[in-house]
Amino acid sequence: MGKNVAVLGAGSWGSVLANVLVENGHQVELWTYKTPQADEINSQHTNNKYIKDYYFSEKLHATTDMDAALDGVDVVLFVVPTKAIREISVQVCDILRDKNNAPLIVHASKGLELKTYKRVSQIIDEEIPSGYRSGIVALSGPSHAEEVAHHDLTLITAASEDLDAAKEVQKLFMNNYLRIYTNPDLLGVELGAAFKNIIALGAGALHGLGFGDDAKAALMTRGLAEISRLGVAFGADPLTFIGLSGVGDLVVTCTSVHSRNWRAGDQLGSGKKLPDVIADMGMVIEGINTTQAAYELSQEKQIDMPITEAIYNVLYRGADIKEEVGGLMTREGKSEEIAQNMVD
């Protein structure tokens, strides 16, 4: 039997996931705060600012009324920028207090909150008490909205400390083009999803600088080592980082022009200034804030993350990209001890 689902956030990923749910036989309300966007989705079945040349199901309904969207829902899916998670969670909780249902909360956002560096599930947990929800699940992995929209084969992870909740999300989304795996390591999945955006910025920058596949492969491999070290320091399972939400998401984000973090890095490598890159993108570049978070967390934990530090220097200290690349290549020689690098 189909579920009643509220999808909060009508960007590219939010609107496509909402359409997947409709195609899977669920009743979906897609919430956006933009009236013109809701009108476009409902009347023209398009969302051209975020995903061009694509038509959504006529059964997908968009609304600007969050109260109506949350009425009688079984599942609430957050697909908003990380910086908006807390504000939206407060709004959701205020509405759910007046309703009798305690829906399952799912999020497909990737990043850490500024200043607190809390993960998305932690923010939701703080703002929506357990009495108003039945669980929290993170949906993450190598996926581009543009490809899922056209039914390209895609595999992602539903992560939760509550395996039953993860299995419910698995059933909700899975079909013949979208396969969902469950994972109990919510911490590792969320950290991998956030930190891979840093490496994607670097991969794009290498392309903008004119480097080729060898450099990109090296960056991704050593970047994964950094992500793993920091994640394990916070208690994540090291095996999570060689799964879909780790190396899988890293590969797709570092190699595709669909990735906004890759595109931002490419522009930086080509010589554009950061404010111009941000203005040109027109969408949130999660990797910029996450770089600051990861750098400061690595300093706190005394974890060696030279690639992250180099990208931080470019973004926040105005360092020259070419000089930072040169600095990485001329570091003292080390041994590639794979298993040890996962934890040291």
Side-chain angles (χ1 to χ4, degrees), residues 80-87 112-114 123 284 286 289:
V80 297
T82 303
K83 67 179 182 180
I85 289 289
R86 191 174 295 278
E87 177 186 353
L112 301 176
E113 186 177 42
L114 279 175
I123 302 168
V284 174
E286 293 283 8
N289 292 336

Side-chain angles (χ1 to χ4, degrees), residues 13 110 140-148 152-156 192-193 196-197 199-201 203-204 216 220 243-263:
W13 194 216
K110 299 177 180 180
S140 185
S143 50
H144 288 307
E146 297 84 354
E147 297 188 1
V148 174
D152 277 9
L153 304 182
T154 303
L155 283 67
I156 55 179
K196 56 88 182 178
N197 286 327
I199 309 305
L201 284 170
K216 186 187 297 181
M220 291 166 60
L244 288 169
S245 61
V247 68
D249 209 359
L250 181 70
V251 168
V252 78
T253 311
C254 288
T255 60
S256 175
V257 295
H258 293 315
S259 165
R260 70 189 68 169
N261 291 281
W262 185 94
R263 297 200 309 271

Side-chain angles (χ1 to χ4, degrees), residues 278-301:
I278 295 172
D280 181 63
M281 291 295 294
M283 292 185 283
V284 174
I285 308 166
E286 293 283 8
I288 293 174
N289 292 336
T290 306
T291 298
Q292 181 179 359
Y295 172 74
E296 294 184 359
L297 289 171
S298 71
Q299 297 299 298
E300 174 188 318
K301 292 284 188 179

Side-chain angles (χ1 to χ4, degrees), residues 44-154:
Q44 301 176 43
H45 312 296
T46 60
N47 191 13
N48 280 322
K49 178 178 178 181
Y50 295 96
I51 183 162
K52 296 186 181 299
D53 302 320
Y54 179 73
Y55 288 90
F56 293 85
S57 169
E58 293 184 6
K59 294 180 180 179
L60 176 62
H61 183 259
T63 181
T64 57
D65 186 342
M66 188 181 291
D67 189 283
L70 295 174
D71 192 34
V73 292
D74 303 301
V75 180
V76 179
L77 172 62
F78 285 72
V79 202
V80 297
T82 303
K83 67 179 182 180
I85 289 289
R86 191 174 295 278
E87 177 186 353
I88 299 299
S89 295
V90 170
Q91 294 179 42
V92 168
C93 189
D94 287 343
I95 293 170
L96 291 179
R97 280 195 182 98
D98 297 327
K99 300 184 183 293
N100 294 321
N101 55 315
L104 176 63
I105 305 295
V106 187
H107 81 81
S109 302
K110 299 177 180 180
L112 301 176
E113 186 177 42
L114 279 175
K115 297 182 179 179
T116 70
Y117 302 145
K118 289 182 177 178
R119 294 174 287 113
V120 174
S121 66
Q122 291 178 301
I123 302 168
I124 293 172
D125 182 58
E126 288 179 358
E127 301 299 344
I128 306 178
S130 57
Y132 303 112
R133 55 172 169 79
S134 62
I136 301 175
V137 181
L139 195 64
S140 185
S143 50
H144 288 307
E146 297 84 354
E147 297 188 1
V148 174
H150 292 99
H151 294 189
D152 277 9
L153 304 182
T154 303

